[in-house]
Short mmCIF file of all heavy atoms in Angstrom, two decimals:
data_model
loop_
_atom_site.label_atom_id
_atom_site.label_comp_id
_atom_site.label_asym_id
_atom_site.label_seq_id
_atom_site.Cartn_x
_atom_site.Cartn_y
_atom_site.Cartn_z
N GLN A 31 138.13 33.89 9.66
CA GLN A 31 137.90 34.47 10.99
C GLN A 31 139.15 34.46 11.81
O GLN A 31 139.92 33.49 11.78
CB GLN A 31 136.79 33.69 11.72
CG GLN A 31 136.44 34.35 13.05
CD GLN A 31 135.32 33.65 13.79
OE1 GLN A 31 135.53 32.67 14.49
NE2 GLN A 31 134.08 34.16 13.60
N TYR A 32 139.34 35.52 12.54
CA TYR A 32 140.48 35.62 13.43
C TYR A 32 139.95 35.95 14.84
O TYR A 32 139.19 36.92 15.05
CB TYR A 32 141.41 36.76 13.04
CG TYR A 32 142.58 37.01 13.97
CD1 TYR A 32 143.68 36.14 13.93
CD2 TYR A 32 142.53 38.04 14.88
CE1 TYR A 32 144.74 36.35 14.81
CE2 TYR A 32 143.59 38.25 15.72
CZ TYR A 32 144.72 37.40 15.73
OH TYR A 32 145.75 37.61 16.57
N LYS A 33 140.23 35.09 15.80
CA LYS A 33 139.80 35.25 17.15
C LYS A 33 140.90 35.90 18.01
O LYS A 33 142.07 35.43 17.95
CB LYS A 33 139.40 33.90 17.77
CG LYS A 33 138.18 33.30 17.13
CD LYS A 33 137.74 32.04 17.84
CE LYS A 33 136.49 31.43 17.20
NZ LYS A 33 136.03 30.20 17.91
N LEU A 34 140.54 36.91 18.74
CA LEU A 34 141.52 37.61 19.56
C LEU A 34 141.68 36.99 20.92
O LEU A 34 140.71 36.49 21.47
CB LEU A 34 141.13 39.13 19.71
CG LEU A 34 141.45 40.03 18.51
CD1 LEU A 34 140.44 39.78 17.41
CD2 LEU A 34 141.39 41.47 18.96
N ALA A 35 142.86 37.05 21.45
CA ALA A 35 143.07 36.56 22.79
C ALA A 35 142.54 37.61 23.77
O ALA A 35 142.27 38.74 23.39
CB ALA A 35 144.58 36.37 23.04
N ASP A 36 142.38 37.20 25.04
CA ASP A 36 141.93 38.17 26.04
C ASP A 36 142.91 39.33 26.13
O ASP A 36 144.12 39.14 26.24
CB ASP A 36 141.78 37.50 27.42
CG ASP A 36 140.63 36.52 27.47
OD1 ASP A 36 139.76 36.60 26.58
OD2 ASP A 36 140.60 35.71 28.43
N GLY A 37 142.37 40.48 26.12
CA GLY A 37 143.25 41.69 26.15
C GLY A 37 142.66 42.74 27.08
O GLY A 37 141.73 42.52 27.79
N VAL A 38 143.28 43.91 27.00
CA VAL A 38 142.85 45.05 27.84
C VAL A 38 141.63 45.66 27.21
O VAL A 38 141.58 45.96 26.00
CB VAL A 38 143.98 46.09 27.95
CG1 VAL A 38 143.52 47.29 28.80
CG2 VAL A 38 145.22 45.42 28.60
N ARG A 39 140.63 45.86 28.02
CA ARG A 39 139.40 46.53 27.53
C ARG A 39 139.73 48.04 27.26
O ARG A 39 140.64 48.59 27.82
CB ARG A 39 138.26 46.44 28.54
CG ARG A 39 137.76 45.02 28.75
CD ARG A 39 136.70 44.98 29.84
NE ARG A 39 136.26 43.62 30.08
CZ ARG A 39 135.25 43.07 29.48
NH1 ARG A 39 134.53 43.75 28.64
NH2 ARG A 39 134.87 41.82 29.77
N ALA A 40 138.91 48.63 26.39
CA ALA A 40 139.13 50.00 26.01
C ALA A 40 138.29 50.94 26.89
O ALA A 40 137.09 50.99 26.68
CB ALA A 40 138.80 50.17 24.55
N PRO A 41 138.86 51.71 27.85
CA PRO A 41 138.10 52.54 28.75
C PRO A 41 137.36 53.64 27.99
O PRO A 41 136.25 54.04 28.39
CB PRO A 41 139.14 53.08 29.67
CG PRO A 41 140.45 52.97 28.96
CD PRO A 41 140.31 51.74 28.14
N GLU A 42 137.89 54.17 26.88
CA GLU A 42 137.25 55.21 26.18
C GLU A 42 135.93 54.79 25.50
O GLU A 42 135.16 55.58 25.10
CB GLU A 42 138.19 55.83 25.12
CG GLU A 42 138.59 54.90 23.99
CD GLU A 42 139.82 54.07 24.31
OE1 GLU A 42 140.05 53.81 25.47
OE2 GLU A 42 140.53 53.73 23.33
N ASN A 43 135.75 53.46 25.39
CA ASN A 43 134.55 52.93 24.81
C ASN A 43 133.78 52.09 25.78
O ASN A 43 133.12 51.09 25.42
CB ASN A 43 134.86 52.11 23.51
CG ASN A 43 135.01 53.02 22.30
OD1 ASN A 43 134.19 53.93 22.08
ND2 ASN A 43 136.07 52.83 21.54
N GLY A 44 133.85 52.40 27.05
CA GLY A 44 133.05 51.71 28.02
C GLY A 44 133.55 50.32 28.37
O GLY A 44 132.80 49.51 28.92
N GLY A 45 134.80 49.99 28.00
CA GLY A 45 135.35 48.70 28.35
C GLY A 45 134.98 47.60 27.38
O GLY A 45 135.10 46.44 27.70
N VAL A 46 134.57 47.91 26.18
CA VAL A 46 134.22 46.87 25.20
C VAL A 46 135.50 46.20 24.71
O VAL A 46 136.59 46.70 24.76
CB VAL A 46 133.45 47.46 23.99
CG1 VAL A 46 132.16 48.11 24.46
CG2 VAL A 46 134.31 48.42 23.18
N ARG A 47 135.31 44.91 24.30
CA ARG A 47 136.46 44.13 23.84
C ARG A 47 136.14 43.44 22.54
O ARG A 47 135.08 42.80 22.39
CB ARG A 47 136.81 43.08 24.89
CG ARG A 47 137.95 42.21 24.54
CD ARG A 47 138.15 41.05 25.54
NE ARG A 47 138.52 41.55 26.82
CZ ARG A 47 138.48 40.83 27.94
NH1 ARG A 47 137.99 39.61 27.91
NH2 ARG A 47 138.86 41.37 29.09
N LEU A 48 137.03 43.53 21.57
CA LEU A 48 136.86 42.85 20.31
C LEU A 48 137.23 41.37 20.49
O LEU A 48 138.30 41.05 20.97
CB LEU A 48 137.81 43.48 19.25
CG LEU A 48 137.75 42.90 17.85
CD1 LEU A 48 136.31 43.12 17.29
CD2 LEU A 48 138.77 43.56 16.96
N ARG A 49 136.28 40.48 20.13
CA ARG A 49 136.54 39.04 20.33
C ARG A 49 136.93 38.37 19.04
O ARG A 49 137.71 37.41 19.02
CB ARG A 49 135.26 38.37 20.87
CG ARG A 49 134.71 38.99 22.16
CD ARG A 49 135.76 38.97 23.26
NE ARG A 49 136.28 37.65 23.56
CZ ARG A 49 137.14 37.41 24.53
NH1 ARG A 49 137.62 38.38 25.28
NH2 ARG A 49 137.56 36.19 24.75
N TYR A 50 136.38 38.77 17.90
CA TYR A 50 136.76 38.19 16.62
C TYR A 50 136.43 39.10 15.48
O TYR A 50 135.63 40.01 15.60
CB TYR A 50 136.11 36.81 16.44
CG TYR A 50 134.61 36.80 16.53
CD1 TYR A 50 133.78 37.17 15.45
CD2 TYR A 50 133.97 36.41 17.74
CE1 TYR A 50 132.40 37.13 15.57
CE2 TYR A 50 132.56 36.42 17.82
CZ TYR A 50 131.81 36.76 16.74
OH TYR A 50 130.43 36.75 16.84
N VAL A 51 137.16 38.86 14.37
CA VAL A 51 136.92 39.54 13.12
C VAL A 51 136.69 38.49 12.05
O VAL A 51 137.51 37.58 11.89
CB VAL A 51 138.09 40.45 12.72
CG1 VAL A 51 137.84 41.18 11.41
CG2 VAL A 51 138.49 41.42 13.83
N THR A 52 135.60 38.60 11.33
CA THR A 52 135.29 37.64 10.31
C THR A 52 135.07 38.37 8.95
O THR A 52 134.35 39.34 8.88
CB THR A 52 134.02 36.88 10.60
OG1 THR A 52 134.15 36.16 11.87
CG2 THR A 52 133.68 35.84 9.54
N TRP A 53 135.77 37.91 7.92
CA TRP A 53 135.52 38.40 6.59
C TRP A 53 134.85 37.29 5.81
O TRP A 53 135.25 36.13 5.89
CB TRP A 53 136.86 38.77 5.90
CG TRP A 53 136.66 39.17 4.44
CD1 TRP A 53 136.38 40.41 3.98
CD2 TRP A 53 136.68 38.31 3.32
NE1 TRP A 53 136.25 40.39 2.63
CE2 TRP A 53 136.42 39.11 2.17
CE3 TRP A 53 136.89 36.95 3.11
CZ2 TRP A 53 136.39 38.59 0.87
CZ3 TRP A 53 136.86 36.45 1.81
CH2 TRP A 53 136.61 37.25 0.73
N ALA A 54 133.78 37.58 5.07
CA ALA A 54 133.05 36.55 4.40
C ALA A 54 132.46 37.05 3.07
O ALA A 54 132.09 38.23 2.94
CB ALA A 54 131.91 35.99 5.29
N GLN A 55 132.31 36.15 2.10
CA GLN A 55 131.58 36.38 0.90
C GLN A 55 130.55 35.28 0.76
O GLN A 55 130.89 34.10 0.83
CB GLN A 55 132.49 36.39 -0.32
CG GLN A 55 131.67 36.60 -1.60
CD GLN A 55 132.57 36.80 -2.85
OE1 GLN A 55 133.47 37.62 -2.79
NE2 GLN A 55 132.30 36.11 -3.94
N TYR A 56 129.27 35.66 0.57
CA TYR A 56 128.19 34.70 0.56
C TYR A 56 128.31 33.83 -0.70
O TYR A 56 128.75 34.22 -1.74
CB TYR A 56 126.88 35.50 0.49
CG TYR A 56 125.66 34.61 0.75
CD1 TYR A 56 125.14 34.46 2.03
CD2 TYR A 56 125.01 34.00 -0.28
CE1 TYR A 56 124.02 33.65 2.24
CE2 TYR A 56 123.89 33.20 -0.06
CZ TYR A 56 123.41 33.04 1.21
OH TYR A 56 122.31 32.28 1.40
N SER A 57 127.88 32.56 -0.56
CA SER A 57 127.80 31.66 -1.67
C SER A 57 126.56 30.79 -1.50
O SER A 57 125.90 30.78 -0.45
CB SER A 57 129.02 30.75 -1.76
OG SER A 57 129.06 29.82 -0.66
N ALA A 58 126.14 30.07 -2.57
CA ALA A 58 124.93 29.30 -2.56
C ALA A 58 124.98 28.15 -1.52
O ALA A 58 123.97 27.63 -1.10
CB ALA A 58 124.68 28.68 -3.96
N GLU A 59 126.19 27.78 -1.08
CA GLU A 59 126.32 26.64 -0.15
C GLU A 59 126.04 27.06 1.29
O GLU A 59 125.92 26.24 2.17
CB GLU A 59 127.76 26.08 -0.22
CG GLU A 59 128.06 25.32 -1.51
CD GLU A 59 128.30 26.24 -2.69
OE1 GLU A 59 128.77 27.40 -2.42
OE2 GLU A 59 128.02 25.88 -3.80
#
Side-chain angles (χ1 to χ4, degrees):
Q31 183 177 85
Y32 177 78
K33 294 184 178 181
L34 281 74
D36 289 345
V38 178
R39 294 176 182 267
E42 65 271 30
N43 276 315
V46 300
R47 179 187 295 166
L48 182 63
R49 304 305 301 183
Y50 55 83
V51 180
T52 302
W53 175 89
Q55 177 171 314
Y56 193 91
S57 69
E59 291 75 29

